[in-house]
Coordinates of all heavy atoms in Angstrom, one line a residue:
Chain A
Y48 N 126.1 106.0 24.7 CA 125.3 104.9 25.1 C 124.3 105.4 26.2 O 124.5 106.4 26.9 CB 126.2 103.8 25.8 CG 127.1 103.1 24.9 CD1 128.3 103.6 24.5 CD2 126.7 101.9 24.3 CE1 129.2 102.9 23.6 CE2 127.5 101.2 23.4 CZ 128.7 101.7 23.1 OH 129.5 101.0 22.2
R49 N 123.2 104.6 26.3 CA 122.2 104.8 27.3 C 122.3 103.6 28.2 O 122.4 102.5 27.8 CB 120.8 104.9 26.7 CG 119.7 104.8 27.7 CD 118.4 104.6 27.0 NE 117.3 104.4 28.1 CZ 116.2 105.0 28.2 NH1 115.9 105.9 27.3 NH2 115.4 104.7 29.2
Q50 N 122.2 103.9 29.5 CA 122.3 102.8 30.5 C 121.1 102.9 31.5 O 121.1 103.9 32.2 CB 123.6 102.6 31.2 CG 123.7 101.4 32.1 CD 125.0 101.3 32.8 OE1 125.7 102.2 33.0 NE2 125.4 100.0 33.1
D51 N 120.3 101.9 31.6 CA 119.2 101.9 32.6 C 119.7 101.1 33.8 O 120.7 100.3 33.7 CB 118.0 101.1 32.0 CG 117.3 101.9 30.9 OD1 116.9 103.1 31.2 OD2 117.3 101.4 29.8
P52 N 119.2 101.4 35.0 CA 119.7 100.8 36.2 C 119.7 99.3 36.1 O 118.7 98.6 35.7 CB 118.7 101.3 37.3 CG 118.2 102.6 36.7 CD 118.1 102.4 35.2
G53 N 120.8 98.7 36.5 CA 120.9 97.2 36.5 C 121.0 96.6 35.1 O 120.9 95.4 35.0
K54 N 121.3 97.4 34.1 CA 121.4 96.9 32.8 C 122.8 97.3 32.2 O 123.4 98.2 32.6 CB 120.3 97.4 31.9 CG 118.9 97.0 32.3 CD 118.6 95.5 32.1 CE 117.3 95.1 32.7 NZ 116.2 95.7 31.9
G55 N 123.1 96.6 31.0 CA 124.3 97.0 30.3 C 124.0 98.2 29.4 O 122.9 98.5 29.1
P56 N 125.1 98.9 29.0 CA 124.8 100.1 28.1 C 124.2 99.7 26.8 O 124.6 98.6 26.2 CB 126.2 100.6 27.9 CG 127.0 100.2 29.1 CD 126.4 98.8 29.4
E57 N 123.3 100.5 26.3 CA 122.7 100.3 25.0 C 123.2 101.3 24.0 O 123.2 102.6 24.3 CB 121.2 100.5 25.2 CG 120.3 100.4 23.9 CD 118.9 100.7 24.2 OE1 118.5 100.7 25.4 OE2 118.2 101.1 23.2
F58 N 123.6 100.9 22.9 CA 124.2 101.7 21.9 C 123.2 102.8 21.3 O 122.1 102.5 21.0 CB 124.8 100.9 20.7 CG 125.2 101.7 19.6 CD1 126.4 102.4 19.6 CD2 124.5 101.8 18.4 CE1 126.9 103.1 18.5 CE2 124.9 102.5 17.3 CZ 126.1 103.2 17.4
L59 N 123.7 104.0 21.2 CA 122.9 105.1 20.6 C 123.5 105.5 19.3 O 122.9 105.5 18.2 CB 122.7 106.3 21.6 CG 121.9 106.0 22.8 CD1 122.0 107.2 23.7 CD2 120.5 105.6 22.5
F60 N 124.7 106.1 19.4 CA 125.3 106.7 18.2 C 126.9 106.5 18.2 O 127.5 106.4 19.2 CB 125.1 108.2 18.2 CG 123.7 108.7 18.3 CD1 123.2 109.3 19.4 CD2 122.9 108.6 17.1 CE1 121.9 109.6 19.5 CE2 121.5 109.0 17.2 CZ 121.1 109.5 18.3
T61 N 127.4 106.5 17.0 CA 128.8 106.6 16.8 C 129.1 107.8 15.9 O 128.4 108.0 14.9 CB 129.5 105.4 16.2 OG1 129.1 104.2 16.9 CG2 131.0 105.5 16.2
L62 N 130.0 108.7 16.3 CA 130.5 109.8 15.5 C 131.9 109.7 15.2 O 132.7 109.4 16.1 CB 130.1 111.2 16.2 CG 128.7 111.4 16.6 CD1 128.5 112.5 17.6 CD2 127.8 111.6 15.3

Side-chain angles (χ1 to χ4, degrees):
Chain A
Y48 289 89
R49 169 194 171 127
Q50 186 178 25
D51 293 301
K54 300 290 178 66
E57 175 188 339
F58 172 76
L59 294 175
F60 304 108
T61 307
L62 302 168

